[in-house]
Amino acid sequence: MKSAICGRISLSPNHIFNPNSGDRYSLCTGPCSNLCIPMALVSTGPGKGGGLLEKPVIEKVTPGRESEFDLKKSRKTAPPYRVMLHNDDYNKREYVVQVLMKVIPGMTVDNAVNIMQEAHYNGLSVVIICAQADAEDHCMQLRGNGLLSSIEPASGGC
């Protein structure tokens, strides 16, 4: 196996397009040498022939992927939603606290108790403010566990 030549090699167009068999600096060697296509050729100055073969710059682009700036912008434009817990006369207070801690990520016992108490005394309590898709998911999980819940847009800067 031949080792790669590092750096720039001065080549004429004849070296690139009409290589001699056994030519040490030919870009196209091997059984398929007639299929070789140079990626980039940069002229070094006036005169015929002399050019440098530059290493092609390959940008890594993931199809369908937005830039970091676009992702941050789309996150900021998505309006937040409130997940609301409604008081009911069917579930015990301890059960409501357990469900809140199970369904809402990062929910502490103290926060769950405060939310449950507010819903019990006021009839309604804000569980979490998050993106619409997450709010819908949390609401459905709370309902799936027998609690009354709803979502609403979090307008007013809260």
Side-chain angles (χ1 to χ4, degrees):
M1 174 181 269
K2 293 182 180 180
S3 62
I5 300 172
C6 297
R8 297 179 174 180
I9 302 171
S10 183
L11 299 173
S12 70
N14 288 337
H15 280 99
I16 296 170
F17 296 107
N18 301 314
N20 298 329
S21 61
D23 189 354
R24 180 175 153 186
Y25 296 112
S26 174
L27 294 176
C28 310
T29 58
C32 301
S33 63
N34 59 343
L35 299 177
C36 183
I37 301 171
M39 297 302 290
L41 186 64
V42 179
S43 177
T44 57
K48 293 187 176 181
L52 293 177
L53 186 65
E54 297 288 332
K55 184 177 179 181
V57 176
I58 301 171
E59 294 182 16
K60 294 182 179 180
V61 178
T62 306
R65 175 76 179 182
E66 298 177 60
S67 71
E68 184 86 17
F69 176 76
D70 291 337
L71 288 175
K72 287 180 182 177
K73 183 179 174 185
S74 66
R75 285 187 200 131
K76 289 181 181 178
T77 59
Y81 276 73
R82 291 184 185 118
V83 178
M84 307 300 293
L85 176 67
H86 301 263
N87 185 39
D88 62 39
D89 296 328
Y90 308 105
N91 295 302
K92 293 188 176 192
R93 295 178 187 187
E94 295 82 11
Y95 177 74
V96 174
V97 170
Q98 289 175 352
V99 171
L100 286 170
M101 290 183 359
K102 180 175 82 171
V103 170
I104 308 300
M107 180 65 68
T108 64
V109 175
D110 291 337
N111 287 343
V113 169
N114 290 337
I115 291 167
M116 178 272 304
Q117 291 286 2
E118 185 179 346
H120 180 73
Y121 291 115
N122 299 330
L124 193 63
S125 175
V126 177
V127 176
I128 190 171
I129 299 175
C130 54
Q132 183 178 4
D134 293 334
E136 290 172 352
D137 185 47
H138 295 319
C139 182
M140 294 306 295
Q141 288 182 25
L142 291 172
R143 289 179 182 180
N145 283 285
L147 302 183
L148 298 176
S149 68
S150 62
I151 65 168
E152 64 181 30
S155 59
C158 294

